[in-house]
């Protein structure tokens, strides 16, 4: 059955990774159709609107969206894909590929997934001057420096809801079980990281709800760490992790750290899942410093595409592509500069096609 993928290539170097991957997906002849919503600066020039209704309708009609990173006005489309489509779970698998240039002496066996809450926390986007808070008379609610004494400055709201926390933690437990089904040798475990010792009312609440959900999912091990301690464990013993669940900001920061552990942001894929829509994007940014040089590592885009194929029901093709990528890394002759190689993006993609 024909599946429609809306493609938004993104900005700076992102299209250089996205284009060959979309071309490659098309060459598989498995019934994928690609449509290209026009968003950002190009849409503004044509219609005066950075996210016109036509683009939104294309995304709505498509089975999924494949999104390159954005630095400019195409961010409006990203806002729609996250908050408009309710894609609350950002899944970022971190798997060591033998042959990749990890900074760790022993990266073998790293295989975990970060589940980042994608819609709440500090990303609700409510910020403003501290003076605006004066009428709320928060003096009785502050346990450290009273807000009215802070002088000129800004605030940001960190929102942790019961419903949002329950659904992300349940998602993490379901993912741990499904990873176990794929590989029965795995011991399913969910690790939660929060700053509950300092932020008792917000992160403490996230942890409390996570513990309640854990009690309903006793077939899966549960552990929790203070996020700074977790950051240290992430570097020292990443092989102990299976599924990690975190509020939005920590998940954003620590998944880039996890990408660094593997050897490059260019290796880190991601998928964002809601109840009735999902979209897929490499975890890295637009890499403006290497734009126009055809050296961006397309592995993150390729592996995001395999997550997308899984979502669309093409599991066999997804595994074949993952195997081909693994073979290219094990072979080591067609790696991009971030991996210590000299290959261009095109050469890397050609090697994956050959390995397939
Ligand atoms: P954002 O704020 O959108 O997350 P960022 O400012 O964190 O973006 P990135 O665009 O992710 O930055 O890039 C950080 C560094 O990693 C840059 O030096 C960039 O060239 C490099 N980088 C990112 N993605 C890749 C990739 N796919 N291949 C090679 N290098 C990459």
């Amino acid at each position: 059955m024909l599946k429609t993928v809306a493609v938004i290539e993104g900005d700076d170097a992102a299209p250089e990774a996205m284009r060959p991957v979309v071309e490659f997906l098309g060459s598989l002849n498995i019934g994928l159709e690609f449509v290209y919503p026009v968003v950002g600066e190009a849409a503004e020039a044509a219609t005066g609107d950075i996210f016109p209704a036509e683009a939104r309708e294309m995304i709505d009609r498509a089975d999924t969206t494949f999104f390159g990173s954005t630095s400019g006005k195409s961010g409006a489309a990203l806002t729609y894909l996250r908050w408009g489509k309710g894609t609350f779970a950002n899944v970022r698998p971190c798997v060591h590929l033998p042959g990749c240039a990890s900074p760790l002496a022993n990266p073998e066996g790293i295989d975990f997934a970060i589940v980042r809450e994608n819609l709440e926390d500090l990303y609700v986007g409510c910020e403003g001057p501290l003076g605006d808070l004066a009428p709320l008379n928060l003096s009785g609610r502050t346990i450290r420096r009273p807000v009215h004494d802070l002088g000129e400055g800004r605030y940001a709201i960190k929102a942790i809801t019961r419903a949002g926390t329950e659904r992300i933690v349940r998602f993490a437990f379901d993912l741990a079980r499904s990873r176990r089904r794929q590989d029965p040798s795995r011991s399913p475990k969910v690790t939660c990281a929060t700053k509950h010792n300092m932020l008792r009312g917000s992160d403490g609440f996230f942890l409390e709800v996570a513990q309640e959900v854990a009690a309903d999912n006793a077939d899966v091990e549960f552990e929790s760490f203070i996020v700074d301690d977790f950051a240290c464990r992430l570097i020292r013993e990443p092989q102990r992790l299976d599924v990690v669940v975190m509020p939005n900001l920590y998940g954003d920061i620590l998944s880039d750290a996890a990408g660094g552990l593997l050897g490059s942001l260019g290796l880190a894929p991601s998928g964002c899942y809601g109840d009735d829509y999902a979209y897929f994007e490499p975890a890295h940014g637009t890499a403006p410093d290497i734009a126009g040089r055809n050296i961006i590592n397309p592995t993150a885009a390729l592996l995001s595409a395999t997550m997308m194929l899984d979502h669309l029901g093409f599991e066999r093709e997804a595994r074949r592509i993952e195997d081909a990528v693994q073979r290219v890394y094990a072979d080591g002759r067609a790696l991009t500069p971030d991996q210590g190689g000299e290959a261009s993006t095109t050469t890397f993609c050609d090697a994956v096609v050959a390995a397939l």
Side-chain angles (χ1 to χ4, degrees):
M1 202 171 51
L2 192 69
K3 297 281 185 187
T4 305
V5 179
V7 179
I8 298 173
E9 292 176 343
D11 305 307
D12 303 322
E16 296 166 45
M18 294 288 286
R19 269 180 215 140
V21 171
V22 172
E23 201 176 301
F24 170 65
L25 292 174
S27 73
L28 297 174
N29 286 322
I30 52 174
L32 293 178
E33 172 198 51
F34 300 98
V35 295
Y36 292 83
V38 180
V39 301
E41 281 85 353
E44 190 175 36
T47 67
D49 188 349
I50 54 172
F51 188 45
E54 196 188 328
R56 197 183 60 236
E57 283 157 18
M58 265 184 175
I59 290 172
D60 288 347
R61 278 196 304 270
D63 292 287
T64 186
T65 294
F66 190 35
F67 192 89
S69 298
T70 169
S71 62
K73 293 180 175 171
S74 47
L78 186 66
T79 300
Y80 181 66
L81 284 165
R82 288 197 186 164
W83 286 272
K85 302 303 270 179
T87 50
F88 63 88
N90 184 350
V91 178
R92 298 180 157 191
C94 302
V95 182
H96 168 69
L97 298 170
C100 77
S102 168
L104 297 185
N106 298 305
E108 293 75 23
I110 297 179
D111 182 353
F112 64 92
I114 291 182
V115 174
R116 164 193 173 196
E117 199 291 319
N118 214 22
L119 307 177
E120 301 192 342
D121 194 10
L122 284 157
Y123 290 68
V124 292
C126 183
E127 301 174 288
L130 277 171
D132 287 1
L133 302 179
L136 297 176
N137 190 17
L138 295 172
S139 49
R141 298 200 58 84
T142 45
I143 53 173
R144 296 182 197 108
R145 280 189 71 187
V147 172
H148 60 264
D149 279 355
L150 291 177
E152 196 208 330
R154 300 282 186 275
Y155 69 83
I157 292 212
K158 176 177 169 87
I160 304 284
T161 70
R162 172 173 286 282
T165 307
E166 266 179 16
R167 72 180 172 183
I168 196 66
V169 179
R170 284 192 199 290
F171 187 100
F173 275 97
D174 288 344
L175 181 63
R177 274 189 286 266
S178 96
R179 284 164 58 86
R180 166 68 171 274
R181 278 194 296 278
Q182 274 165 21
D183 175 0
S185 70
R186 246 191 257 272
S187 303
K189 178 166 74 170
V190 170
T191 303
C192 178
T194 48
K195 190 73 187 172
H196 51 274
N197 55 334
M198 290 301 281
L199 304 174
R200 290 184 201 145
S202 49
D203 279 17
F205 183 61
F206 189 99
L207 176 59
E208 196 182 302
V209 174
Q211 285 164 335
E212 285 170 23
V213 174
D216 290 343
N217 290 272
D219 56 316
V220 174
E221 188 187 340
F222 177 76
E223 64 184 5
S224 102
F225 297 107
I226 294 173
V227 67
D228 35 358
D229 178 22
F230 172 78
C232 179
R233 289 167 189 269
L234 174 70
I235 310 290
R236 292 182 66 90
E237 42 191 32
Q239 287 89 345
R240 286 195 64 250
L241 300 170
D242 180 22
V243 173
V244 183
V245 66
M246 285 185 268
N248 207 336
L249 179 65
Y250 311 138
D252 190 7
I253 296 169
L254 290 168
S255 38
D256 270 30
L261 268 192
L262 300 176
S264 163
L265 282 179
L267 300 172
S270 94
C272 296
Y273 303 82
D275 288 331
D276 46 28
Y277 202 86
Y279 79 94
F280 300 85
E281 60 173 344
H284 58 77
T286 62
D289 51 336
I290 55 171
R293 295 173 56 196
N294 191 28
I295 56 164
I296 188 167
N297 186 344
T299 306
L302 258 174
L303 296 180
S304 302
T306 65
M307 295 175 79
M308 181 169 80
L309 290 178
D310 273 329
H311 174 70
L312 294 174
F314 300 108
E315 290 90 355
R316 202 170 60 90
E317 286 75 11
R319 297 296 81 72
R320 280 182 62 215
I321 297 168
E322 282 170 5
D323 285 352
V325 170
Q326 274 172 22
R327 261 177 275 137
V328 171
Y329 275 92
D331 174 75
R333 280 177 300 173
L335 304 185
T336 45
D338 60 305
Q339 289 299 295
E342 291 175 0
S344 66
T345 308
T346 313
T347 306
F348 178 91
C349 289
D350 289 347
V352 173
V353 173
L356 201 72

